[in-house]
Every structure is written in C-alpha cells, then in structure tokens.
Amino acid sequence: MSYFYGIAEAGSTSATLACDCLAHRFGNADDHGVRECRYPTDMSDAEWAVVRPLLPVPGWLRGRGGQPEAYCHRAILDAIRYLVDNGTKWRAIPVDFPPWDRVYAFFRRWRDHGLVEEFHDRLCRQVREQAGRDPEPSAGVIDSQSVKADAVVDSESRGFDGGKLINGRKRHVVVDTLGLLLAVMVTAADVGDRAAAQVLLGRVAAAHHRLALVWADGGYTGSLVEYSLAVLAVVLAIVKRSDDMRGFVVLPKRWIVERFFAHLMRSRRLVRDFERSASSAEAMVYWSMTQLMTRRLARPRPSRA
C-alpha cells in the first residue's frame, strides 16, 4: 500500500500558496508558477479536492532519495487527462503544461509501480459509496473489445480477430453493475475470450473477495463456467441472445459493459491502440475512467426534501 497525500498534511507550514500540491508545498514547483486552467479536461477545484487526498506521496518527501519535483502535480494530471481525452501525441502536449518528457516520466512511473490502478480503485470505492453501494462489488460483467492497432504496435503484441475482422489488440474488461471498471487486460486480438477470461477473473476474484456473480455473453461458455465455480468460487452466468431476435436488442446486464465501451470511445486516445506496450494501453483505460469518476464525485448532489 502506498503512502497518500492525506498522510503528508502534518508538517505543512504554508497556507497562502495558490496551489496546495506537494510539489508546491515542499518541492521546487514555485519556480514555474501556477498554470491557468483553460481546457475542458482540466480539473475543477471541486475535482481537485476529491483527487488531492488520493495522490501518492513522492519518494523524495519520504526520505527515499531523489530531487524534489519541479512541476505541479495538478498540472501534470491535467496534461495526462488532456492527452487521453484528445488523443494527441506526447510531444504535441500544449506548451502551457509541463514539458512532455516530464509528463511522460510521471505517467510511466505510475504505470510501472501500479499507482494508477491504486488511484483508480480508491476513486471507484468512493463513487460506489456515493451511490449507496458497498465499496466492494458482489457482481460484475465481463466482455471484450477489439480495436485496430497503430503502426507503432509490433507484430508480437497484435493479432487478427477473425470474428470482428480487426487487426490489432483486444481489451478484456470486468465492470461492476454501475459500469465502473474492476480490471482490464490488453492482449493481441487473436487471443480467445475464454483463455483471457480465466486469467482476468482470477485477478478480479483475488482483488474483490465479495465478487460472487459475473454475467457474460455466449463467447464464454464451456469449461470456463466450471473453472470459475470450482477454482474461483464465482458463478459465471451466460446471458444469451435469442435466435429469433432481429436488429439491436438491449440484453439484461450485458448492456452495462457495452455502455462502458461507449465511454472509452469518447476518449480519442482509445479509439485506436497507439501504445507500444500493453501495459501502457491498460493504463490509458484506467486514466480515462478516473476522469469520469472525478466528475461524478465533484458533481453537485441534488438536495433531498
């Protein structure tokens, strides 16, 4: 478990800073001033109030070595949100953000140390609590999405999905009944759904001990149903489409994960797979969902009579 911002409140002696991130309080971010919010993806003050206590404390502030950071944490987060939402290149990040190489170093550090998943999961628990649900889900939905891969994706991590006729990668996801992401795994597009689901369900069951039921489509039938019940203690319920159905039909529970994929398609960085590594592709999915959840948490709640 990482140390988060809330632990570093004690010892702060400055109450007049324009930005209250740790890079401004204890680092060297004052050398670059405070950035003015100007893009739709920039966090509002209400969103920053939600995000700030969940950010990990830098290693240099915990006595683990390294130089104090020179760029505002809030500005770096806004830069990553801008890139994911608008689909720009790393080198094309606008100049009012910190330098692109510093933003990418931040992204890479969070990706390699699992901090983006931990940050995402903390936000997810808060969204569930705000909706009146238990922080840990007991049911979920599993599905996959094949997307075309850019030329930077090498042949070893891409494949051809014969069913969708797509040459690229496949995103295997499990979401809860609110449509929030529980886990994602990116593979080549030619990897079967059942083979990937066996690994993915194992990860989800280990991380969420209350999970007892997962809905899936007809592509997950077979030995996976028995494996999930015997090994993972998870009931895999298959929601099949009737043979006499014509056109678009909303199927129970399966529409939840389809709505999740529709949200991913609103992030232009995720319309195609532009990442050289599968771990970066998974991190982009987590970052897209963090933007959705911070907006939900910062949204004014209607008053009850």
Side-chain angles (χ1 to χ4, degrees):
M1 181 64 67
S2 302
Y3 290 93
F4 279 73
Y5 255 45
I7 303 175
E9 291 294 340
S12 175
T13 58
S14 176
T16 60
L17 294 176
C19 180
D20 58 352
C21 74
L22 295 185
H24 271 102
R25 285 178 177 265
F26 307 104
N28 299 324
D30 281 340
D31 297 340
H32 300 91
V34 177
R35 175 182 166 272
E36 178 184 355
C37 296
R38 62 182 63 185
Y39 303 111
T41 54
D42 290 340
M43 285 183 289
S44 64
D45 291 339
E47 286 182 89
W48 174 245
V50 172
V51 167
R52 183 185 177 281
L54 305 181
L55 299 180
V57 176
W60 54 266
L61 193 56
R62 289 187 283 150
R64 298 180 58 185
Q67 296 181 351
E69 295 185 67
Y71 294 98
C72 175
H73 292 163
R74 180 174 179 176
I76 292 179
L77 290 177
D78 283 338
I80 296 176
R81 289 159 61 104
Y82 179 92
L83 180 137
V84 174
D85 192 71
N86 294 279
T88 186
K89 300 177 181 179
W90 283 106
R91 294 176 181 269
I93 292 178
V95 295
D96 58 324
F97 288 118
W100 75 268
D101 56 339
R102 294 297 89 206
V103 177
Y104 178 72
F106 184 95
F107 169 86
R108 182 179 57 194
R109 183 167 62 251
W110 275 42
R111 177 200 66 191
D112 296 342
H113 292 84
L115 296 178
V116 61
E117 292 95 332
E118 192 170 352
F119 173 57
H120 167 275
D121 292 345
R122 288 185 169 226
L123 284 173
C124 184
R125 286 192 288 269
Q126 288 195 7
V127 174
R128 290 184 57 85
E129 289 177 349
Q130 186 184 50
R133 303 294 186 90
D134 191 281
E136 288 296 329
S138 60
V141 190
I142 187 172
D143 204 351
S144 65
Q145 177 192 45
S146 296
V147 292
K148 294 181 179 180
D150 191 67
V152 300
V153 179
D154 57 21
S155 59
E156 296 181 357
S157 62
R158 67 192 298 163
F160 184 75
D161 185 351
K164 303 293 181 61
L165 300 180
I166 290 179
N167 186 349
R169 284 179 174 157
K170 185 180 290 186
R171 300 170 184 146
H172 308 268
V173 302
V174 178
V175 301
D176 65 5
T177 53
L178 296 179
L180 302 177
L181 180 65
L182 299 182
V184 58
M185 184 173 68
V186 175
T187 65
D190 56 356
V191 175
D193 288 347
R194 286 188 289 269
Q198 186 170 335
V199 179
L200 185 60
L201 287 175
R203 294 181 185 176
V204 177
H208 304 280
H209 300 290
R210 293 188 68 249
L211 190 70
L213 174 64
V214 175
W215 289 281
D217 59 22
Y220 295 90
T221 56
S223 60
L224 180 63
V225 178
E226 291 78 11
Y227 173 85
S228 300
L229 185 60
V231 178
L232 306 177
V234 173
V235 176
L236 190 64
I238 306 299
V239 181
K240 294 185 177 180
R241 177 185 174 94
S242 177
D243 295 335
D244 56 355
M245 290 183 179
R246 295 292 183 270
F248 174 76
V249 178
V250 177
L251 297 178
K253 305 304 179 182
R254 281 175 53 181
W255 68 271
I256 299 175
V257 71
E258 298 300 338
R259 183 184 62 182
F260 169 82
F261 288 137
H263 167 74
L264 294 187
M265 292 297 99
R266 298 187 64 182
S267 298
R268 294 189 177 183
R269 185 80 181 193
L270 300 176
V271 173
R272 294 172 67 96
D273 198 322
F274 296 99
E275 314 309 322
R276 295 182 183 272
S277 66
S279 59
S280 292
E282 294 170 359
M284 289 294 178
V285 175
Y286 282 115
W287 280 112
S288 178
M289 287 303 297
T290 59
Q291 184 171 347
L292 172 69
M293 291 187 291
T294 56
R295 289 177 174 174
R296 285 190 184 181
L297 291 172
R299 186 184 305 162
R301 304 180 188 178
S303 59
R304 296 183 179 180

